[in-house]
């Protein structure tokens, strides 16, 4: 159907065409009214106006979703079964959960596609977890390299290479400092704050009829939320890229490229697919009015339905890619080389509970945004005990009043004054 079909009322009721009408319509020159009549008649005959509402679409998407869930949950279970390096595997498991959340969320949105626009609420949950994944990946890279203190000992004072390709052309003449690490963490943490706020605002605007997917009207909230979201996610991914550029030699043994590309593909593909569908909607490729369950729905809802269907398919390939990117082989070998027995189910559940807990994120946000800690680097207690008390100048004890009430698995840390302040 073309966009013109939405403005032309049907002169006859669906299903009441006379015997010779269809032949005359077929032989007449094509016009918007004829397109409308033919489409309305065909739709009423088979009851299938949109592919997304067909059983085939739901079954196909469901098969891909459940295969993705099986692949991912098996990998998560394997990591929990070989939970030998909690401070790394905690973030890996969080990253892996992006597949079940994206896949099942998109499938539910597809199953409930209609005028009620339930998908807005499901997609808000999906988008919030997206921010969580970006932060978790940066934190994982920090853990790979031994934490802030170890990273600073390797890169402190080194000049930043100017490169337009890596986005460092504006940093010419500057050198790496604790401020650089602060920016990388702050840029990812801000997305963890902005994205949930945007999700809440979206739900509120949706309730008052001020939000419609694909509506770039200045009076619609979609335009402003899209601009803010695009800026926020771009800043977070830029920070990830800067960090990788600064530590690529140190990270090379951990093969971060596949990990980074996989995560970026999952997050950015979903975003740009949505943008492309919104453009197609504006170009008239997606009709502005469709009938689902006897009710009219806008082109934005239909575009969101196609977006969810595509994500359902993509998540199986994402699950396979993540299986190779975040393999459990290293942790399994450590488990086999240790004298401990296989982890009981209680240990697996405690590991999963630690993974879900957001306490470390809150602690990290306080440390990175509080002015009192801007010139300090975090260091694990185990690493601090191996060093002399005054090795880095001054040792600042971080007041961990609430730490006794925190999970025992959350690693205790001290703050080491950065050399720039000595």
């Amino acid at each position: 159907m073309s966009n013109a079909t939405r403005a032309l009322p049907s002169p006859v009721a669906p299903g009441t065409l006379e015997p010779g009408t269809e032949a005359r319509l077929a032989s007449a020159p094509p016009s918007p009214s004829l397109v409308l009549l033919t489409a309305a008649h065909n739709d009423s005959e088979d009851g299938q106006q949109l592919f997304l509402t067909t059983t085939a679409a739901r079954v196909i998407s469901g098969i891909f979703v459940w295969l993705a869930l099986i692949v991912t949950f098996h990998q998560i279970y394997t990591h929990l079964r070989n939970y030998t390096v909690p401070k790394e595997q905690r973030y890996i498991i969080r990253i892996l959960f992006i597949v079940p959340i994206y896949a099942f969320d998109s499938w539910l949105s597809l199953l409930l596609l209609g005028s009620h626009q339930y998908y807005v609420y499901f997609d808000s949950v999906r988008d919030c977890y997206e921010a969580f994944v970006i932060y978790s990946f940066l934190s994982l890279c920090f853990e790979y390299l031994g934490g802030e203190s170890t990273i600073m000992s390797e890169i402190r004072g080194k000049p930043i290479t100017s490169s337009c390709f890596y986005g460092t052309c504006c940093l010419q003449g500057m050198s790496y400092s604790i401020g650089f690490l602060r920016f990388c963490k702050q840029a990812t943490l801000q997305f963890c704050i902005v994205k949930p706020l945007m999700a809440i605002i979206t739900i509120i605007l949706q309730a008052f009829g001020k939000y419609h997917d694909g509506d770039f009207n200045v009076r619609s909230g979609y335009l402003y939320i899209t601009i803010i979201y695009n800026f926020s996610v771009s800043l977070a991914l830029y920070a990830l890229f800067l960090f990788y550029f600064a530590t690529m030699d140190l990270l090379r043994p951990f093969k971060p490229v596949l990990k980074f590309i996989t995560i970026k593909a999952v997050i950015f593909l979903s975003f740009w697919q949505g943008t492309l569908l919104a453009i197609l909607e504006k170009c008239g490729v997606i009709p502005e009015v469709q009938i689902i369950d006897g009710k009219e729905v806008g082109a934005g809802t239909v575009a969101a339905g196609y977006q969810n269907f595509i994500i359902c398919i993509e998540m199986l390939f994402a699950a396979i890619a993540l299986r190779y990117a975040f393999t459990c082989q290293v942790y399994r070998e450590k488990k086999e080389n240790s004298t401990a027995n296989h982890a009981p189910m209680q240990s697996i559940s405690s590991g999963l509970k630690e993974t879900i807990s957001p306490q470390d994120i809150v602690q990290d946000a306080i440390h990175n945004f509080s002015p009192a800690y801007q010139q300090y680097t975090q260091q694990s207690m185990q690493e601090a005990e191996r060093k002399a008390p005054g090795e880095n100048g001054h040792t600042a004890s971080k007041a961990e009043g609430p730490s006794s009430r925190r999970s025992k698995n959350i690693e205790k840390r001290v703050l080491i004054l950065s050399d720039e302040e000595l």
Side-chain angles (χ1 to χ4, degrees):
M1 287 193 299
S2 65
N3 280 341
T5 61
R6 68 181 184 275
L8 297 172
S10 176
V12 294
T16 61
L17 294 177
E18 296 180 359
T21 303
E22 291 185 32
R24 291 195 300 271
L25 291 177
S27 61
S31 67
S33 60
L34 292 180
V35 173
L36 174 63
L37 289 173
T38 306
H41 178 62
N42 291 339
D43 290 341
S44 63
E45 278 191 335
D46 55 21
Q48 297 176 352
Q49 187 174 3
L50 191 64
F51 169 72
L52 296 174
T53 61
T54 63
T55 303
R58 294 175 176 180
V59 170
I60 292 172
S61 59
I63 291 174
F64 276 85
V65 165
W66 284 103
L67 287 176
L69 293 180
I70 292 172
V71 172
T72 304
F73 280 132
H74 177 265
Q75 187 180 8
I76 292 173
Y77 173 78
T78 304
H79 273 283
L80 291 172
R81 192 76 173 174
N82 302 278
Y83 206 58
T84 53
V85 188
K87 59 185 181 180
E88 292 180 10
Q89 290 174 281
R90 173 171 66 231
Y91 297 114
I92 290 176
I93 294 173
R94 288 174 178 176
I95 293 171
L96 294 177
F97 264 113
I98 192 174
V99 171
I101 291 176
Y102 262 54
F104 199 69
D105 174 281
S106 299
W107 194 47
L108 281 179
S109 299
L110 188 62
L111 294 178
L112 298 176
L113 182 66
S115 59
H116 297 290
Q117 296 186 332
Y118 292 123
Y119 70 91
V120 172
Y121 307 103
F122 292 119
D123 291 357
S124 298
V125 176
R126 183 182 71 196
D127 294 342
C128 289
Y129 199 79
E130 172 185 306
F132 191 43
V133 167
I134 293 178
Y135 163 79
S136 296
F137 180 66
L138 180 63
S139 299
L140 176 62
C141 292
F142 269 66
E143 293 299 337
Y144 279 154
L145 300 180
E148 283 185 359
S149 179
T150 304
I151 295 172
M152 285 310 304
S153 67
E154 294 288 341
I155 69 172
R156 179 185 286 115
K158 292 182 179 180
I160 300 177
T161 304
S162 179
S163 171
C164 293
F165 178 75
Y166 287 104
T168 58
C169 53
C170 57
L171 304 177
Q172 186 175 7
M174 301 178 65
S175 59
Y176 293 112
S177 65
I178 186 61
F180 172 79
L181 290 186
R182 284 287 164 273
F183 169 77
C184 293
K185 272 294 184 75
Q186 290 171 354
T188 53
L189 284 167
Q190 61 81 25
F191 189 46
C192 294
I193 298 172
V194 170
K195 192 55 192 177
L197 286 177
M198 291 298 100
I200 294 173
I201 293 174
T202 297
I203 293 174
I204 294 174
L205 292 176
Q206 172 74 15
F208 287 94
K210 298 294 183 180
Y211 180 90
H212 302 284
D213 269 317
D215 185 4
F216 290 98
N217 192 300
V218 293
R219 297 183 178 181
S220 173
Y222 177 81
L223 173 63
Y224 306 103
I225 288 177
T226 300
I227 293 174
I228 296 173
Y229 168 78
N230 193 22
F231 175 79
S232 182
V233 70
S234 298
L235 181 62
L237 289 172
Y238 175 64
L240 274 181
F241 203 73
L242 283 181
F243 180 79
Y244 170 72
F245 180 69
T247 60
M248 64 172 68
D249 293 332
L250 303 174
L251 285 170
R252 188 168 287 115
F254 303 98
K255 301 177 180 179
V257 177
L258 178 59
K259 297 177 174 66
F260 180 75
I261 291 177
T262 304
I263 293 173
K264 187 174 181 180
V266 171
I267 293 173
F268 251 58
L269 272 179
S270 64
F271 172 75
W272 287 114
Q273 282 169 182
T275 303
L276 177 60
L277 287 168
I279 294 173
L280 292 177
E281 173 197 338
K282 285 297 179 183
C283 294
V285 177
I286 301 176
E288 290 194 14
V289 175
Q290 289 279 7
I291 306 298
I292 299 179
D293 295 332
K295 296 182 179 179
E296 292 185 353
V297 296
T301 300
V302 177
Y306 281 114
Q307 164 83 328
N308 286 317
F309 178 80
I310 295 171
I311 289 177
C312 289
I313 304 300
E314 291 173 341
M315 283 305 104
L316 175 58
F317 301 99
I320 296 173
L322 289 171
R323 189 175 185 88
Y324 285 100
F326 296 95
T327 177
C328 190
Q329 183 63 30
V330 176
Y331 308 106
R332 185 185 293 111
E333 291 175 355
K334 289 185 179 181
K335 185 72 174 179
E336 292 173 353
N337 294 333
S338 66
T339 57
N341 296 325
H342 290 295
M345 290 305 296
Q346 184 177 1
S347 299
I348 293 175
S349 62
S350 62
L352 183 60
K353 182 179 179 181
E354 176 193 350
T355 299
I356 301 173
S357 174
Q359 292 177 351
D360 59 313
I361 302 176
V362 176
Q363 178 184 345
D364 209 15
I366 294 173
H367 172 71
N368 282 280
F369 285 106
S370 174
Y373 300 140
Q374 291 303 298
Q375 297 301 327
Y376 290 86
T377 59
Q378 291 188 89
Q379 188 179 63
S380 66
M381 288 292 289
Q382 292 94 332
E383 186 180 354
E385 290 170 357
R386 292 195 297 267
K387 293 186 176 183
E391 184 175 336
N392 284 355
H394 304 290
T395 302
S397 60
K398 183 179 180 181
E400 295 283 358
S403 63
S404 59
R405 298 189 297 271
R406 292 177 181 165
S407 169
K408 295 180 181 179
N409 291 324
I410 300 298
E411 188 178 17
K412 294 183 179 179
R413 297 178 180 271
V414 295
L415 295 178
I416 307 299
L417 186 61
S418 176
D419 288 348
E420 288 108 57
E421 291 294 302
L422 301 181

